[in-house]
Amino acid sequence: MRHVLALLVVFLPLTPSLAQSLPPDLDATMERTLKTFDVPGVALAVVKDGKVVLAKGYGVRKLGDAAPVTADTLFAIASNSKAFTAAAVAMLVDEGKLSWDDRVVDHVPSFQMFDPYVTREMTVRDLFVHRSGLGLGAGDLLYFPQSTFTEDEIVAKLRHIAPATSFRSRYAYDNILYLVAGKVIEKVSGRHWRDFVRERIFLPLAMKDSSTLSKALRVSANVATPHAKADGVLKPISPMGFDNNAPAAAINSTVNDLAKWMLTQLGRGVVPGTEGKKRLFSEAQSKEMWAAQTVMSVPEPSKALTGLRANFAAYALGWSLRDYRGYKLVGHSGALPGYYSRVLLVPELNLGIAVLTNQEERGGFEVPLWTVLDAYLGAPATDWVAAFKADDDAKRAKAEGQLAGLQGGRNTQSKPSLPLEAYAGKFRDPWYGDVTLVREGEKLVLRFGRTPGLVGDLEHWQYDTFVARWRDRSLNADAFVSFTLKPDGSLGEMRMQPVSPLTDFSFDFQDLRFAPVQEPAGAAVARPVH
């Protein structure tokens, strides 16, 4: 829920004529993609000129089970939920019930940010476009991994999250403010976000299998099991629930259903099959949702992906914008533990592509996307499997090099300043709340009070820094835990930061500032160990 979009594209000379069909070797490419990136299953949908030209599954729903992925297999679509939240607001704007530039506090009076000026000036539009001043993924630990915080508790905690930059000064992807957008929808419409989306979007579009509750992934007969690598070994994992931040990431869908969604988007709000007689939203609101709002930086791609160099990138309202071979692309990606999704629209070509996967490997959705898009553009053939594999290998090698550098610079002869029991106790962060450190045998165990899955065994790293090794190894998010001491030798502050540069940004450990709630046993008399 994470997941900043990698917007890497380029203007190249247009081909004289565009292809009007899928790549002839698509099935072979998909099989190679599954094998190369170790992805159990992928579902793919393509719509063109108002028709569904492909809706198909590849691979299996779960490792060790022969049940195949089909066009009706249910996946979590993660941050692709954001476009549905934007559409819900657009519908209310059409009805004259609010404006994109209404102040949030005028609809949700209890809303409060860290800075009173931002609280007063933030608009509904600001909730969607990642320029609030919050840091990348700030506050995501309130709901990710699955937590026990309620929606209202999460919104209330926004006032304690310090900004990273000034208001509206730069792009930084966030998820929490989409929950506030959901609260605006609830206040204006009288319906909870999930009810509004189900009644006003899913039902009119006959998206019969789509849902807004995580439990749907547990009860559906045709569901893709999420998979993740735990210490390098791929295994099935249980779906995580994110019902307490549903407007950002909670929708589950199939490629058959997403095909209807893409047809509606490309039709500028017209419900498919109604010949323009029924609409979800107006053409004016379609243009508004696809208009650039926040400028994004354009990183230089790796050598393997040179062909995806961008000329521009921007965030719109629940969508990202970019260019490729002279065309404007409107899209989004989404990721949750064990799931990746991608939706891409090319309005000028009346083309839409949706990819759903049940493994956290980028190549699983990038390869089908660019393979199909290039075919419709009549572009020169590119081996996207090899390109993304090379890029992934390079990123992993770089990360491993950085970790090796940390290991090499570590003082393995150093010891903690205090006895282990002196670090034990309760610690509190202003926005997250409480965590506990308990000595169990010869180690310390860290537990996040409202996040059952964040339980980690602390290993001494050097000096007063430890590494939290999470017991759920599929999280792939081990974190440094460092302590400062007060002049009297007692504990001061506890800070955290991810160990690997590949850690998902929603593990925003670096934003936490823990202070002891009370003096840990023995701390008052403990003295540094020499």
Side-chain angles (χ1 to χ4, degrees):
M1 259 236 24
R2 19 184 204 166
H3 307 293
V4 176
L5 303 175
L7 304 174
L8 310 170
V9 282
V10 64
F11 276 132
L12 294 178
L14 296 178
T15 50
S17 61
L18 300 178
Q20 297 297 318
S21 62
L22 295 165
D25 58 348
L26 180 59
D27 286 353
T29 298
M30 293 303 301
E31 292 303 317
R32 187 172 163 225
T33 298
L34 297 180
K35 182 177 180 180
T36 301
F37 298 101
D38 203 11
V39 178
V42 174
L44 173 64
V46 180
V47 299
K48 182 75 169 70
D49 298 329
K51 298 179 180 180
V52 179
V53 296
L54 177 73
K56 186 175 182 178
Y58 300 87
V60 297
R61 302 174 209 165
K62 182 179 180 180
L63 281 177
D65 191 326
V69 172
T70 70
D72 290 317
T73 298
L74 200 63
F75 294 75
I77 69 169
S79 284
N80 272 298
S81 304
K82 291 179 169 66
F84 288 82
T85 302
V89 170
M91 295 163 73
L92 293 170
V93 173
D94 275 335
E95 294 168 8
K97 294 181 178 178
L98 81 164
S99 163
W100 288 106
D101 297 312
D102 284 354
R103 298 190 312 164
V104 175
V105 290
D106 291 337
H107 296 290
V108 186
S110 62
F111 171 73
Q112 189 174 336
M113 296 290 284
F114 188 90
D115 185 334
Y117 171 80
V118 177
T119 299
R120 184 176 67 252
E121 297 299 322
M122 185 169 285
T123 66
V124 175
R125 186 185 306 273
D126 290 321
L127 299 175
F128 285 85
V129 298
H130 310 300
R131 63 185 185 195
S132 67
L134 293 175
L136 175 63
D140 280 2
L141 283 168
L142 291 170
Y143 76 95
F144 172 87
Q146 185 171 345
S147 76
T148 61
F149 290 112
T150 66
E151 291 180 349
D152 290 339
E153 284 178 315
I154 292 173
V155 172
K157 285 175 175 292
L158 273 168
R159 71 192 65 182
H160 302 296
I161 304 177
T165 63
S166 59
F167 186 40
R168 295 178 180 150
S169 64
R170 60 175 295 183
Y171 171 88
Y173 193 87
D174 77 78
N175 291 292
I176 297 298
L177 292 179
Y178 273 77
L179 175 56
V180 180
K183 290 299 179 182
V184 172
I185 293 168
E186 182 177 354
K187 292 291 185 180
V188 172
S189 71
R191 294 182 177 89
H192 190 278
W193 172 88
R194 64 173 57 91
D195 296 324
F196 189 99
V197 169
R198 183 181 65 253
E199 296 167 11
R200 299 290 303 276
I201 299 178
F202 291 167
L203 289 179
L205 297 186
M207 296 176 66
K208 61 183 180 64
D209 293 315
S210 296
S211 62
T212 58
L213 284 170
S214 59
K215 66 180 181 182
L217 290 173
R218 296 180 173 88
V219 301
S220 172
N222 187 355
V223 62
T225 298
H227 296 76
K229 290 186 177 179
D231 293 325
V233 178
L234 187 68
K235 67 174 188 178
I237 61 175
S238 298
M240 281 192 185
F242 299 103
D243 297 334
N244 52 359
N245 191 10
I251 289 177
N252 313 301
S253 194
T254 69
V255 291
N256 264 341
D257 280 0
L258 288 179
K260 299 169 185 176
W261 171 243
M262 292 191 294
L263 289 172
T264 303
Q265 288 289 333
L266 291 167
R268 301 288 185 167
V270 173
V271 175
T274 66
E275 299 180 350
K277 295 179 181 179
K278 293 184 179 180
R279 281 184 168 272
L280 286 189
F281 46 82
S282 66
E283 185 170 352
Q285 288 307 310
S286 173
K287 291 178 180 178
E288 189 75 13
M289 286 187 284
W290 290 355
Q293 305 288 329
T294 304
V295 174
M296 300 170 62
S297 62
V298 182
E300 185 68 17
S302 67
K303 183 178 180 180
L305 298 177
T306 301
L308 298 181
R309 185 178 288 109
N311 285 294
F312 85 92
Y315 203 87
L317 295 169
W319 296 95
S320 69
L321 310 176
R322 53 196 273 176
D323 62 283
Y324 182 67
R325 296 184 179 273
Y327 288 90
K328 175 184 177 180
L329 307 185
V330 180
H332 214 289
S333 66
L336 290 174
Y339 293 111
Y340 263 148
S341 67
R342 189 66 172 270
V343 175
L344 180 72
L345 308 172
V346 191
E348 292 172 89
L349 298 182
N350 205 12
L351 172 69
I353 306 167
V355 190
L356 303 176
T357 77
N358 61 353
Q359 215 276 66
E360 297 180 79
E361 284 290 342
R362 183 178 56 145
F365 69 76
E366 295 281 18
V367 170
L369 180 85
W370 298 109
T371 298
V372 172
L373 181 56
D374 279 351
Y376 276 96
L377 292 176
T382 298
D383 187 345
W384 291 115
V385 174
F388 278 99
K389 180 64 166 60
D391 186 66
D392 286 349
D393 289 346
K395 288 181 176 179
R396 289 192 177 97
K398 182 178 180 181
E400 289 170 1
Q402 291 175 330
L403 292 174
L406 287 173
Q407 185 71 38
R410 174 186 177 193
N411 184 348
T412 58
Q413 302 303 311
S414 65
K415 296 181 179 180
S417 299
L418 305 174
L420 283 185
E421 59 268 17
Y423 297 93
K426 181 183 290 185
F427 296 80
R428 180 168 296 155
D429 171 76
W431 59 266
Y432 177 83
D434 294 349
V435 301
T436 58
L437 269 174
V438 178
R439 181 166 181 174
E440 297 183 5
E442 296 304 312
K443 63 185 178 183
L444 291 166
V445 178
L446 175 63
R447 289 181 170 85
F448 276 60
R450 303 292 295 273
T451 311
L454 282 182
V455 179
D457 300 307
L458 265 58
E459 297 177 2
H460 184 246
W461 178 257
Q462 64 178 352
Y463 306 112
D464 291 314
T465 294
F466 300 78
V467 175
R469 306 287 185 193
W470 305 114
R471 291 179 178 176
D472 182 352
R473 302 308 298 154
S474 69
L475 295 177
N476 294 302
D478 289 347
F480 288 117
V481 181
S482 299
F483 298 87
T484 60
L485 301 184
K486 297 178 181 179
D488 66 357
S490 62
L491 289 179
E493 190 174 61
M494 183 177 78
R495 299 297 303 273
M496 298 179 67
Q497 68 180 67
V499 172
S500 170
L502 298 180
T503 302
D504 190 282
F505 69 76
S506 283
F507 289 101
D508 57 321
F509 297 124
Q510 70 282 349
D511 295 329
L512 300 165
R513 301 184 71 95
F514 289 111
V517 174
Q518 58 186 7
E519 291 292 336
V525 298
R527 291 293 181 266
V529 176
H530 298 291

